[in-house]
Amino acid sequence: MKSIKQIAAFALTAVVVPFAATAGLSRAEWQAKVGDCAKNPAMVKATIAQIPAAEQTEFLAKVNSAIAKKPGSIEAMAVDFYSASKAALVGAKDKKAVLAEIFATVPVEHLTVLNERLAAELFSRNANPDKPVSDAAFENLAKGALAVVNKRCETAENAAARQMFAALMFVRASGGSPSGLADTLISQMSNVQARESASGWIAQAMGYGQEASYSKVLADSNAEEEPDHVIVHYMTGQMILESLLADLQAPGNQSAVGSAAGLGGGAFTTMSTSGNPIDGEIDVGLNRIPRGAIGSKTAVGGNSEGRYSDSGEENPYYSGKGRGKNPYYSGQRESSDYWK
């Protein structure tokens, strides 16, 4: 029979071990991980979760700086900035501060991608239909977050453009309501000239009375070439919708979820275990089976059109679901000419 001392020691070990497994990283330890995180942004979530809150923005800034120095196409770099930013937001303790660091340190041309993706995937007020966010609540959340972003970006190059992209992200995430939200958010910018420029930039970016484009803000900022959004969209894979709006108002900006693995509703579990395009089949990653462009909705096989003449079964590899005008939101089908 075990002694009382043995039982007590076992109980103490059971309590201590889980905390030891998630022990914080010292400055020297997380600095040593910056290069690896830049090479593999998927590591950012687990790493930033182990860094003291006061040092998380410094870590992200160093990761972004390292990504900017990597060789490769502008689209590959956009994917890295997107992946690192999303992972950092999910794993961070102070989400407002990390959001501010993203808009202050990611190159301006890549904010064209980030504002759209973060609006749709992390900050959309419609991410959870069971918990609707009122106009007033959303506006207050956006204003509170932008107060932190604006202050941080004031000392960054192209401050006005960076502040505008952050405001634009919340305008997109609002779903079009309340009306006048863009003007409300722009009014928080401290520089009068910046407010005037931002108004025109947002109008062009949203396509108000004109073709949607980022050309003016990029030209005014002397930014580099804008990444091809469609290429980035396909390189990043399936979009996973989640919402961090609640985390922006949590006490101390702390996520209500205790486990780092559970942050963001599990949005950062590997694609092999969550969000597979076809249930029961792993069709992503390095070991995926290449698929051709299949122009038929019905099941593969049978004839030259890639379907059985007598089958009405949905073809899981049908490629004509398309991009429409906007690859992230529209759901419209691509013209059939695209696949010819």
Side-chain angles (χ1 to χ4, degrees):
M1 174 179 274
K2 292 182 178 179
S3 68
I4 293 178
K5 288 185 178 181
Q6 288 175 314
I7 294 173
F10 176 80
L12 181 61
T13 301
V15 172
V16 172
V17 167
F19 288 97
T22 57
L25 297 175
S26 68
R27 178 178 292 274
E29 288 172 330
W30 67 250
Q31 285 181 333
K33 291 179 177 288
V34 168
D36 290 336
C37 287
K39 294 176 183 176
N40 180 14
M43 294 176 59
V44 170
K45 182 192 72 170
T47 304
I48 200 170
Q50 299 177 67
I51 296 174
E55 299 174 9
Q56 289 183 341
T57 54
E58 183 183 355
F59 163 74
L60 181 59
K62 289 181 180 295
V63 170
N64 283 340
S65 177
I67 290 174
K69 297 173 184 175
K70 289 173 61 176
S73 70
I74 189 171
E75 286 75 27
M77 187 176 293
V79 170
D80 285 344
F81 281 125
Y82 156 78
S83 300
S85 297
K86 189 172 180 180
L89 281 166
V90 171
K93 297 178 179 68
D94 187 340
K95 308 215 184 281
K96 289 180 184 176
V98 167
L99 183 67
E101 199 66 26
I102 288 169
F103 282 97
T105 59
V106 170
V108 170
E109 60 271 17
H110 292 288
L111 295 178
T112 61
V113 171
L114 278 180
N115 89 89
E116 295 180 5
R117 298 300 294 265
L118 297 182
E121 298 176 36
L122 294 185
F123 295 104
S124 172
R125 66 188 296 185
N126 300 317
N128 187 352
D130 295 331
K131 295 182 179 180
V133 180
S134 69
D135 284 353
F138 183 85
E139 183 175 311
N140 286 335
L141 286 169
K143 288 167 65 176
L146 283 178
V148 179
V149 174
N150 289 346
K151 184 174 181 180
R152 170 64 183 89
C153 288
E154 283 177 356
T155 58
E157 186 179 12
N158 292 314
R162 294 177 180 281
Q163 293 172 340
M164 183 281 298
F165 273 116
L168 178 60
M169 182 197 73
F170 281 107
V171 171
R172 294 188 187 280
S174 74
S177 180
S179 61
L181 179 63
D183 292 335
T184 299
L185 300 182
I186 289 172
S187 68
Q188 289 188 242
M189 299 171 66
S190 58
N191 185 285
V192 176
Q193 182 59 48
R195 291 199 294 268
E196 293 177 359
S197 298
S199 181
W201 292 337
I202 287 182
Q204 186 186 51
M206 295 297 294
Y208 295 152
Q210 57 193 301
E211 183 179 356
S213 170
Y214 294 111
S215 60
K216 185 165 179 57
V217 63
L218 294 179
D220 291 347
S221 305
N222 293 316
E224 299 292 333
E225 180 184 358
E226 178 183 358
D228 187 312
H229 291 228
V230 174
I231 293 176
V232 174
H233 173 65
Y234 283 109
M235 288 175 72
T236 53
Q238 184 180 6
M239 182 172 68
I240 301 175
L241 300 181
E242 189 59 41
S243 180
L244 296 184
L245 281 177
D247 290 332
L248 290 178
Q249 64 182 355
N253 301 321
Q254 303 281 334
S255 171
V257 183
S259 168
L263 290 168
F268 283 85
T269 52
T270 62
M271 290 293 286
S272 62
T273 59
S274 173
N276 281 331
I278 301 168
D279 291 339
E281 177 171 348
I282 297 175
D283 192 44
V284 293
L286 295 177
N287 298 319
R288 73 180 296 278
I289 302 172
R291 308 291 180 187
I294 298 173
S296 169
K297 275 189 173 182
T298 50
V300 178
N303 60 29
S304 61
E305 294 180 353
R307 59 182 170 186
Y308 293 114
S309 58
D310 59 350
S311 172
E313 182 182 354
E314 179 78 12
N315 178 359
Y317 300 109
Y318 174 54
S319 301
K321 294 176 182 177
R323 304 187 304 271
K325 267 190 172 183
N326 189 318
Y328 311 115
Y329 314 121
S330 70
Q332 301 175 25
R333 286 186 55 186
E334 184 70 56
S335 166
S336 58
D337 291 338
Y338 178 80
W339 300 104
K340 293 180 180 179

